[in-house]
């Protein structure tokens, strides 16, 4: 009972345990940092006599106890280490069987599982003997090498690698106060609105009340997740001091980069090449970097462009590292309008730069020649240099292809230095198999990289997002490799920054408010959402495991609902768990897998039947697929490939794991890897990780880590927003909807859930938004209004509401550093996207998910004559342009009609007109960027857009005059009497 209330060890996750006096063991009496006796002994043995948290040396009494225990049990420990590979309850048994041996022994059973079963049986036979000879606290704990520190480390290396900087009270306190005040004012405002209907226009009033209630609900979902924003600071110098010591191999963790591309004619190979070159030249140990390029279109153009890129990398990489070039994408480096001689002291720099620029221009010529050649496909298909047909001539029916362009053998630059790996991957495609688009391609890369390199961390980038900061990986490692922080982190998300956007950012392409305000707020809760690119993952989190130290589930949750899926208990054993087994039941549906991998220390408590169930190879194959090599890689928490592995055999296994039928009857896309079921697989994948108890980190270095390109013309931007909104609707209609998924276990915090709910319900705001933008025109055309005559109290409520809205925005700008122009652009495009792309996404999502009808909105490009930002003024016809154009026309017509009516009625009509016109101008001002983009610099608009919009506005006006449902009917007898009384 005493052990059950002891805190878990911060290093291994076990109970801290008791000391010789029967009290809870305390290693550091200054900060009481929870460390178990085994981890403490291992730290002292390795020479780390400082507390990891506060840095204060351990007291003499603790060290004296350690010396006494070690001298008395040294012979026992040596015998134990020589007799078994299992070096303690904290160690993970990792099989060292090579791939070739696994294949030779398949008929006798997989040796991975055989060795593990035998080791567990030996462990049980020696259970009582170990307890007598070696107390629990004397067992040696094996800590991953990247988390070890020796006594020679400087005091700086022992300090934390990152720190959280909360907002100062003078900024966050007024912000929270205004939020609460605004909430109170909203409650009073709705009380007034509901209790004071407009009898003469009841329909208009009721419609406006519904819209306003939804807007208030949306504001709550968006505002409260920003309750505790934080900033973070990283210390890359401490990272180097801890893991990169002079004269010793680097102990930094390896990273696998994923770059995905589909169509080289839409995604230019030169842009992809720049992304790859920036990865190969990153400031990180070359033996720790591998770049995997996924060609989901099986295009020979992509293959040949990567061959050219690998050759140019031999010159570009040493140039970047010799002269500390930033950014390390040549296209963007040479296009910088800066003085490149500034701060360059090397005499040879000017000469080298000129030579490199000439080489890059020649590289571009070769790449453009490949693109020009690929414009027309030969009738017989493409052939390779040896005369054999290109396997990917049919992009929908081709075998899997892997080509290692740069590897350890012969991968050297012109100076004789080793280069990072570069691997081309095109997964198998066959008719009749689901391929799941980008999510399926990313999962294929996960398996390929696990077989070939198996780095513990994965960083994925879009093909048009290059590395802008060569230190970006080190920034992420400051979180992931920190022993205090990294154990609970599933991924580190970087903000997206973009090139090639006009200075005014007319369509809010930079998404500054989202990346600089919302994401900082989420970082103070459970972490930012995954946004699809620029994200460094913990590979174990992608495999569906929970964090090593996770709060125990209540017994009711363990027995009645599944914390993994949050909806059923059919996957949970009926046996009632004991207190010692509560950690093994933390993932009810996946307890077999987690217990076999993470909870080896608990295996002694199971009987023979349960043990055989936990370690069965079948359970792993049902989860990960039929590949013993890949399954073995999942057991390596710290990554790496067995030294005895045969490279040719690994390539064959890599081809196997990207076959189109590999994922059948497995958990890929359901519980592990990138999650299927939505075109916005990024939101879904991050949501599942947070539901398991992981947290994420938002990293914003001073120099942006990655930069990419964004669609800057109106039509492309709307289609991008349509795709995102459609994905949110798909999640809303799926079993993973945050409204009901993942409640078991309570691992997803309330404010984090609110943020995820906001990400999937925001498209539905389009319905009340369209209605609300139509109300001003209706009021002006009918002479009615949605608000009755204002009293003093009502005027005070309206004034307080507007002041609170302004105050919230001003204080938000103050703590976030966002410009007011960015906030206004975001507000404008919220209306533009809401009345167009979001509206279509709602209808398209329901048609697709409920009726199986997939609709497409075609885009037709017209030419633009402007050279600078010429794409901004491209005119593209798309159906999405019709609703906002119609709203603009009817509101303009309404303003004209309102002024005409006021002129006819005289002075008394001007007072009520002011509120209606203000309401209409609110709509027009928010749609102004759309109007400007629609007209273009040449003041040209697609004729069909104008015709459709005028037609819809005319039909609406005629129907309104005929039906007029919101205006009270006039009695005909009263009208006749009034006519008689008129003296003509």
């Amino acid at each position: 009972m005493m052990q059950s209330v002891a805190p878990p060890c911060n290093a291994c996750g076990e109970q801290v345990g008791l000391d010789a006096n029967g009290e809870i063991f305390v290693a550091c009496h200054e900060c009481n940092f929870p460390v178990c006796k085994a981890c403490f002994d291992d730290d002292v043995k390795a020479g780390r006599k400082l507390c990891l948290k506060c840095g204060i040396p351990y007291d003499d009494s603790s060290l004296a106890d350690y010396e006494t225990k070690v001298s008395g049990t040294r012979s026992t420990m040596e015998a134990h280490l020589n007799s078994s590979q299992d070096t303690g309850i904290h160690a993970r048994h990792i099989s060292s069987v090579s791939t070739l041996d696994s294949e030779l022994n398949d008929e006798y059973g997989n040796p991975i599982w055989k060795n593990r079963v035998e080791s567990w049986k030996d462990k049980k036979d020696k259970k009582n003997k170990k307890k007598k000879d070696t107390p629990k606290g004397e067992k040696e704990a094996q800590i991953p090498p990247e988390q070890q520190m020796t006594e020679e480390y400087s005091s700086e290396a022992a300090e934390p690698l990152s720190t959280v900087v909360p907002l100062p009270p003078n900024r966050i306190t007024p912000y929270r106060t205004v939020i609460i005040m605004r909430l109170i004012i909203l409650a009073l405002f709705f009380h007034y609105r509901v209790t004071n209907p407009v009898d003469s226009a009841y329909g208009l009033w009721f419609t406006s009340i519904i819209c306003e209630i939804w807007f208030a609900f949306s504001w709550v979902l968006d505002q409260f997740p920003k309750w505790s924003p934080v900033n973070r600071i990283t210390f890359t110098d401490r990272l180097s001091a801890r893991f990169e010591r002079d004269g010793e191999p680097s102990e930094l963790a390896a990273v696998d980069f994923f770059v995905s591309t589909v169509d080289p004619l839409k995604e230019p190979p030169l842009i992809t090449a720049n992304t790859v070159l920036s990865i190969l030249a990153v400031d990180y140990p070359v033996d720790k970097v591998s770049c995997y390029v996924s060609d989901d279109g099986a295009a020979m153009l992509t293959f040949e462009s990567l061959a050219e890129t690998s050759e140019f990398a031999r010159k570009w990489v040493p140039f970047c590292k010799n002269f500390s070039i930033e950014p390390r994408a040549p296209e963007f480096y040479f296009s910088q309008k800066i003085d490149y001689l500034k701060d360059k002291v090397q005499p040879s720099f000017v000469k080298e730069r000129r030579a490199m620029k000439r080489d890059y221009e020649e590289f571009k010529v070769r790449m453009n020649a490949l693109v020009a050649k690929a414009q027309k496909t030969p009738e017989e298909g493409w052939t390779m240099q040896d005369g054999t047909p290109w396997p990917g001539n049919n992009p929908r029916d081709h075998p899997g292809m892997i080509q290692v362009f740069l590897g350890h053998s012969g991968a050297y630059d012109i100076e004789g230095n080793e280069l990072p790996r570069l691997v081309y991957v095109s997964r198998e495609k066959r008719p009749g198999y689901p391929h799941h688009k980008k999510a399926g391609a990313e999962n294929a890369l996960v398996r390929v990289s696990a077989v070939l390199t198996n780095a513990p961390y994965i960083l994925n980038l879009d093909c048009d997002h290059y590395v802008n900061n060569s230190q970006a990986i080190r920034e992420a490692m400051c979180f992931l490799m920190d022993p205090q922080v990294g154990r609970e982190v599933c991924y580190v998300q970087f903000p997206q920054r973009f090139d090639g956007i006009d200075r005014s950012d007319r369509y809010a392409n930079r998404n500054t408010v989202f990346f600089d305000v919302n994401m900082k707020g989420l970082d103070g809760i459970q972490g930012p959402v995954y946004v699809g690119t620029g994200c460094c993952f913990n590979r174990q989190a992608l495999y569906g495991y929970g964090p090593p130290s996770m709060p125990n589930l209540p017994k009711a949750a363990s027995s009645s609902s599944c914390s993994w899926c949050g909806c059923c208990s059919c996957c949970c054993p009926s046996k009632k768990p004991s207190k010692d087994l509560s950690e093994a039941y933390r993932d009810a549906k996946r307890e077999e897998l987690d217990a076999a991998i993470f909870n080896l220390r608990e295996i002694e408590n199971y009987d023979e039947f349960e043990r055989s169930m936990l370690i069965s190879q079948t359970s792993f194959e049902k989860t990960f697929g039929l590949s013993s090599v890949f399954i073995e890689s999942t057991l390596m928490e710290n990554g790496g490939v067995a030294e005895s592995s045969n490279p040719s055999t690994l390539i064959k296994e890599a081809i196997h794991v990207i076959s189109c039928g590999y994922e059948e009857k497995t958990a890929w896309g359901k519980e592990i890897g990138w999650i299927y079921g939505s075109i916005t697989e990024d939101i879904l994948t991050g949501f599942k990780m947070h539901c398991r108890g992981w947290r994420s980190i938002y990293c914003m270095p001073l120099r942006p880590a990655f930069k990419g390109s964004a669609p800057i013309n109106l039509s492309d931007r709307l289609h991008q927003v349509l795709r995102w909104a459609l994905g949110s609707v798909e999640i809303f209609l799926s079993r993973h909807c945050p409204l009901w998924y993942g409640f078991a276990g309570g691992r997803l915090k309330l404010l984090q859930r609110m943020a995820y709910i906001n990400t999937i319900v925001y498209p539905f705001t389009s319905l009340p938004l369209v209605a609300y933008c139509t109300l001003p025109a209706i009021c002006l055309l009918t002479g009615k209004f949605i608000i009755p005559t204002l009293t003093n109290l009502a005027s005070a409520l309206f004034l307080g509401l507007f002041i609170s809205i302004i105050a919230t925005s001003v204080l938000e700008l103050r703590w976030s550093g966002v410009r007011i122009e960015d906030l206004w652009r975001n507000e404008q495009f919220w209306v533009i996207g809401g009345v167009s792309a979001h509206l279509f996404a709602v209808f398209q999502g329901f048609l697709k998910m409920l009726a199986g009808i997939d609709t497409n909105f075609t885009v037709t490009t017209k030419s633009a004559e402007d050279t600078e930002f010429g794409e901004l003024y491209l005119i593209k016809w798309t159906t999405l342009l019709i609703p906002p154009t119609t709203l603009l026309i009817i509101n303009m017509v309404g303003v004209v009609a309102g002024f005409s009516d006021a002129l006819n009625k005289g002075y008394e009509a001007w007072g009520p007109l002011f509120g209606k016109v203000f309401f209409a101008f609110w709509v027009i001002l928010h749609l102004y960027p759309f109007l400007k983009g629609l007209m273009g610099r040449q003041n040209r608009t697609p004729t069909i857009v104008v015709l459709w919009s005028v037609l819809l506005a005319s039909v609406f006006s005629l129907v309104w005059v005929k039906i007029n449902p919101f205006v009270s009917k006039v009695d005909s007898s009263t009208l006749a009497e009034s006519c008689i009384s008129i003296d003509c």
Side-chain angles (χ1 to χ4, degrees):
M1 293 180 64
M2 293 284 292
Q3 277 189 329
S4 63
V5 297
C9 173
N10 206 58
C12 65
E14 264 207 346
Q15 297 291 336
V16 169
L18 308 179
D19 57 13
N21 298 326
E23 299 178 352
I24 296 178
F25 176 75
V26 178
C28 177
H29 294 279
E30 295 293 334
C31 64
N32 295 328
F33 189 59
V35 176
C36 70
K37 296 166 68 176
C39 293
F40 170 77
D41 294 345
D42 188 75
D43 286 348
V44 177
K45 180 179 179 181
R48 300 188 295 274
K49 300 180 181 181
L50 301 176
C51 176
L52 284 176
K53 183 177 181 181
C54 63
I56 298 177
Y58 295 126
D59 56 11
D60 296 335
S61 60
S62 299
L63 297 177
D65 293 340
Y66 168 78
E67 294 295 337
T68 303
K69 287 185 291 185
V70 170
S71 60
T73 59
R74 182 166 297 165
S75 59
T76 305
M77 292 297 293
E78 290 177 355
H80 170 68
L81 292 175
N82 293 330
S83 63
S84 175
Q85 288 182 336
D86 189 1
T87 59
I89 57 177
H90 304 79
R92 169 182 292 188
H93 184 84
I94 299 176
S95 174
S96 58
V97 180
S98 67
T99 307
L100 186 58
D101 294 336
S102 299
E103 292 185 353
L104 293 176
N105 291 312
D106 275 345
E107 58 179 316
Y108 302 106
N110 194 328
I112 301 172
W113 311 102
K114 184 179 179 181
N115 293 340
R116 186 172 294 109
V117 172
E118 291 177 353
S119 67
W120 285 340
K121 289 181 178 179
D122 294 339
K123 188 175 180 181
K124 181 184 178 183
D125 295 338
K126 300 177 182 179
K127 177 179 178 181
N128 296 329
K129 184 178 180 181
K130 285 183 180 180
K131 288 186 177 179
K132 293 179 180 179
D133 296 343
T134 307
K136 179 180 178 182
E138 298 179 11
K139 291 187 179 181
E140 181 182 6
Q142 180 179 353
I143 297 180
E146 61 267 16
Q147 296 183 10
Q148 293 181 358
M149 296 184 297
T150 60
E151 59 183 354
E152 292 86 357
Y153 277 19
S154 63
S155 59
E156 182 183 19
E159 295 178 353
L161 301 179
S162 64
T163 183
V164 177
V165 183
L167 295 184
N170 62 343
R171 292 191 176 186
I172 192 63
T173 302
Y175 179 65
R176 293 172 176 172
T177 303
V178 170
I179 291 176
I180 299 299
M181 290 178 59
R182 184 174 173 181
L183 197 62
I184 296 173
I185 293 173
L186 272 175
L188 296 175
F189 171 78
F190 282 118
H191 178 267
Y192 167 78
R193 292 281 283 127
V194 173
T195 56
N196 291 271
V198 182
D199 296 329
S200 60
Y202 190 85
L204 294 176
W205 168 84
F206 185 73
T207 303
S208 65
I209 287 293
I210 294 176
C211 296
E212 290 164 4
I213 291 175
W214 180 265
F215 295 152
F217 172 71
S218 300
W219 172 77
V220 170
L221 291 179
D222 180 70
Q223 192 69 61
F224 278 89
K226 297 182 285 188
W227 185 258
S228 301
V230 298
N231 294 309
R232 295 183 185 270
I233 299 177
T234 56
F235 305 102
T236 55
D237 51 346
R238 298 178 186 176
L239 181 77
S240 299
R242 183 177 298 185
F243 299 108
E244 292 183 299
R245 303 179 63 190
D246 295 336
E248 297 182 6
S250 173
E251 294 181 351
L252 290 173
V255 181
D256 288 337
F257 284 80
F258 291 175
V259 179
S260 56
T261 182
V262 179
D263 188 351
L265 298 180
K266 294 181 180 179
E267 301 163 337
L270 185 62
I271 300 299
T272 304
N274 273 270
T275 300
V276 172
L277 290 170
S278 68
I279 294 172
L280 298 178
V282 74
D283 184 10
Y284 207 71
V286 293
D287 59 322
K288 307 288 186 179
V289 176
S290 302
C291 180
Y292 293 84
V293 180
S294 170
D295 178 19
D296 219 29
M300 189 172 178
L301 173 58
T302 304
F303 181 85
E304 292 182 338
S305 65
L306 279 184
E308 291 286 350
T309 303
S310 63
E311 290 300 319
F312 181 71
R314 302 177 190 272
K315 302 178 182 178
W316 175 251
V317 172
F319 171 74
C320 292
K321 295 187 175 181
N322 290 340
F323 300 107
S324 300
I325 298 302
E326 294 286 359
R328 300 191 175 181
E331 181 69 24
F332 302 95
Y333 168 70
F334 289 121
S335 62
Q336 292 182 118
K337 297 179 181 179
I338 61 174
D339 182 10
Y340 63 87
L341 299 178
K342 185 178 181 181
D343 299 330
K344 299 296 180 182
V345 296
Q346 297 91 333
S348 61
F349 173 69
V350 176
K351 181 179 179 181
E352 292 287 341
R353 187 184 186 279
R354 290 173 180 170
M356 183 53 59
K357 190 171 184 180
R358 287 195 298 269
D359 291 338
Y360 179 64
E361 293 297 332
E362 295 174 0
F363 170 72
K364 289 173 65 176
V365 170
R366 294 193 297 270
M367 294 289 286
N368 292 332
L370 292 176
V371 174
K373 178 183 177 182
Q375 295 293 328
K376 186 176 181 181
T377 305
E379 295 182 359
E380 65 278 5
W382 298 106
T383 57
M384 296 185 288
Q385 293 183 353
D386 58 358
T388 58
W390 170 248
N393 277 323
N394 186 350
R396 298 183 179 179
D397 187 3
H398 65 85
M401 296 177 284
I402 296 177
Q403 174 66 43
V404 181
F405 286 106
L406 297 177
H408 279 304
S409 58
Y412 300 98
D413 59 29
I414 57 176
E415 297 181 358
N417 300 317
E418 185 181 343
L419 287 172
R421 300 177 184 87
L422 175 60
V423 183
Y424 168 87
V425 179
S426 181
R427 58 181 174 143
E428 183 184 16
K429 293 282 189 71
R430 300 298 181 191
Y433 285 91
H435 300 108
H436 304 291
K437 299 181 180 180
K438 181 181 177 180
E442 296 285 354
N443 284 337
L445 289 182
V446 171
R447 297 191 293 271
V448 169
S449 62
V451 171
L452 298 182
T453 53
N454 196 31
Y457 301 109
I458 294 172
L459 196 151
N460 79 302
L461 291 173
D462 289 342
C463 61
D464 59 347
H465 275 70
Y466 64 91
V467 182
N468 184 65
N469 183 352
S470 60
Q471 296 278 327
I473 313 306
R474 297 178 181 271
E475 298 275 353
M477 292 300 115
C478 286
F479 301 106
L480 294 170
M481 297 187 67
D482 192 322
Q484 300 180 27
V485 179
R487 296 174 59 83
E488 308 297 323
V489 177
C490 56
Y491 60 81
V492 175
Q493 178 66 62
F494 293 88
Q496 292 186 20
R497 305 300 187 201
F498 302 98
D499 290 318
I501 298 176
D502 64 307
R503 191 172 298 176
S504 64
D505 193 14
R506 181 184 299 175
Y507 309 121
N509 283 280
R510 293 189 177 94
N511 285 328
T512 308
V513 174
F514 174 75
F515 287 113
D516 290 7
V517 179
N518 297 61
M519 297 287 268
K520 282 185 180 180
L522 291 177
D523 199 16
I525 311 173
Q526 201 170 341
V529 298
Y530 168 42
V531 295
T533 183
C535 188
C536 190
F537 286 95
N538 182 339
R539 187 183 284 268
Q540 294 294 316
L542 279 173
Y543 288 157
Y545 305 133
S549 56
M550 185 182 297
N552 298 335
L553 292 178
K555 292 182 179 180
S558 299
S559 60
S560 63
S561 61
C562 176
S563 63
W564 182 270
C565 64
C567 59
C568 64
S569 59
C570 59
C571 50
C572 304
S574 58
K575 183 177 179 179
K576 183 178 180 180
S578 64
K579 291 183 178 179
D580 293 335
L581 297 180
S582 60
E583 187 173 352
Y585 281 81
R586 64 192 182 189
D587 273 342
K589 187 175 180 180
R590 296 285 303 285
E591 68 170 354
E592 300 177 15
L593 199 55
D594 274 348
I597 295 176
F598 285 114
N599 300 317
L600 296 183
R601 58 182 176 274
E602 303 289 355
I603 200 69
E604 301 170 348
N605 299 309
Y606 289 89
D607 57 27
E608 291 292 334
F609 173 78
E610 290 174 326
R611 183 185 299 109
S612 63
M613 177 187 67
L614 290 175
I615 63 178
S616 65
Q617 183 178 1
T618 305
S619 64
F620 283 83
E621 291 177 346
K622 287 181 178 179
T623 303
F624 294 116
L626 299 175
S627 172
S628 60
V629 178
F630 175 75
I631 294 175
E632 182 179 4
S633 71
T634 65
L635 305 180
M636 300 180 182
E637 186 177 5
N638 301 314
V641 179
E643 296 181 357
S644 59
S645 301
N646 188 337
S648 61
T649 306
L650 291 182
I651 292 293
K652 293 180 181 178
E653 192 67 22
I655 291 291
H656 167 60
V657 298
I658 61 173
S659 60
C660 57
Y662 182 84
E663 295 183 354
E664 286 189 340
K665 299 181 180 180
T666 66
W668 284 101
K670 303 180 184 69
E671 304 295 344
I672 63 176
W674 271 259
I675 306 302
Y676 305 149
S678 171
I679 57 177
T680 52
E681 72 287 332
D682 47 2
I683 297 294
L684 205 51
T685 303
F687 173 64
K688 294 276 285 190
M689 292 182 181
H690 284 136
C691 286
R692 296 183 190 117
W694 293 95
R695 70 155 295 126
S696 54
I697 296 292
Y698 196 49
C699 183
M700 295 183 64
L702 293 178
R703 180 181 180 86
F706 310 101
K707 279 191 174 182
S709 58
I712 63 174
N713 69 71
L714 179 60
S715 302
D716 288 343
R717 173 67 168 146
L718 289 178
H719 273 267
Q720 181 188 58
V721 175
L722 171 65
R723 187 172 65 253
W724 295 342
L726 179 59
S728 296
V729 176
E730 290 175 342
I731 297 174
F732 177 81
L733 298 174
S734 70
R735 73 182 186 93
H736 292 117
C737 178
L739 288 170
W740 51 73
Y741 180 86
F743 276 96
R747 298 171 190 168
L748 191 67
K749 296 184 179 180
L750 175 61
L751 294 181
Q752 191 80 14
R753 183 177 297 278
M754 289 177 62
Y756 274 111
I757 292 174
N758 188 44
T759 62
I760 59 104
V761 302
Y762 78 89
F764 297 96
T765 307
S766 60
L767 299 174
L769 187 59
V770 170
Y772 213 69
C773 291
T774 309
L775 288 178
I778 298 175
C779 293
L780 288 167
L781 290 172
T782 60
K784 303 298 180 180
F785 200 35
I786 59 176
I787 300 174
T789 303
L790 296 180
T791 62
N792 292 335
L793 177 60
S795 301
L797 287 176
F798 274 95
L799 184 61
L801 184 60
F802 281 114
I803 292 176
S804 65
I805 292 173
I806 295 173
T808 305
S809 301
V810 170
L811 293 174
E812 205 166 81
L813 295 176
R814 186 166 175 253
W815 66 254
S816 66
V818 175
R819 300 179 304 167
I820 188 171
E821 182 182 4
D822 295 323
L823 187 67
W824 174 236
R825 291 299 188 198
N826 181 78
E827 184 75 14
Q828 286 180 313
F829 200 79
W830 172 73
V831 176
I832 295 172
V835 300
S836 57
H838 298 172
L839 181 66
F840 279 81
V842 171
F843 290 106
Q844 186 178 1
F846 275 98
L847 288 174
K848 181 178 180 180
M849 301 299 293
L850 302 181
I853 302 174
D854 192 4
T855 57
N856 293 317
F857 305 102
T858 59
V859 178
T860 305
T861 305
K862 306 295 181 181
S863 61
E865 299 175 1
D866 302 279
T867 55
E868 187 176 5
F869 300 116
E871 188 181 355
L872 179 65
Y873 309 106
L874 286 175
I875 303 299
K876 299 184 178 182
W877 156 245
T878 172
T879 319
L880 301 179
L881 301 177
I882 295 177
T885 306
T886 304
L887 288 175
L888 273 171
I889 292 176
I890 63 174
N891 276 278
M892 290 180 180
V893 171
V895 170
V896 175
F899 275 103
S900 302
D901 187 61
L903 289 173
N904 292 330
K905 291 184 177 180
Y907 176 77
E908 295 181 355
W910 287 96
L913 178 66
F914 174 77
K916 303 171 189 177
V917 171
F918 175 81
F919 198 12
F921 271 109
W922 179 90
V923 177
I924 295 173
L925 285 176
H926 278 77
L927 294 176
Y928 176 71
F930 173 84
L931 177 62
K932 194 173 181 179
L934 191 66
M935 301 303 295
R937 177 168 293 183
Q938 296 83 10
N939 294 325
R940 294 181 305 179
T941 304
T943 306
I944 192 169
V945 173
V946 178
L947 293 177
W948 272 103
S949 300
V950 172
L951 178 62
L952 289 177
S954 302
V955 170
F956 173 79
S957 301
L958 293 175
V959 171
W960 181 262
V961 173
K962 181 66 177 176
I963 300 176
N964 202 1
F966 294 103
V967 182
S968 60
K969 302 298 182 181
V970 180
D971 190 3
S972 57
S973 61
T974 305
L975 182 60
E977 292 178 0
S978 62
C979 291
I980 295 172
S981 62
I982 296 177
D983 187 5
C984 297

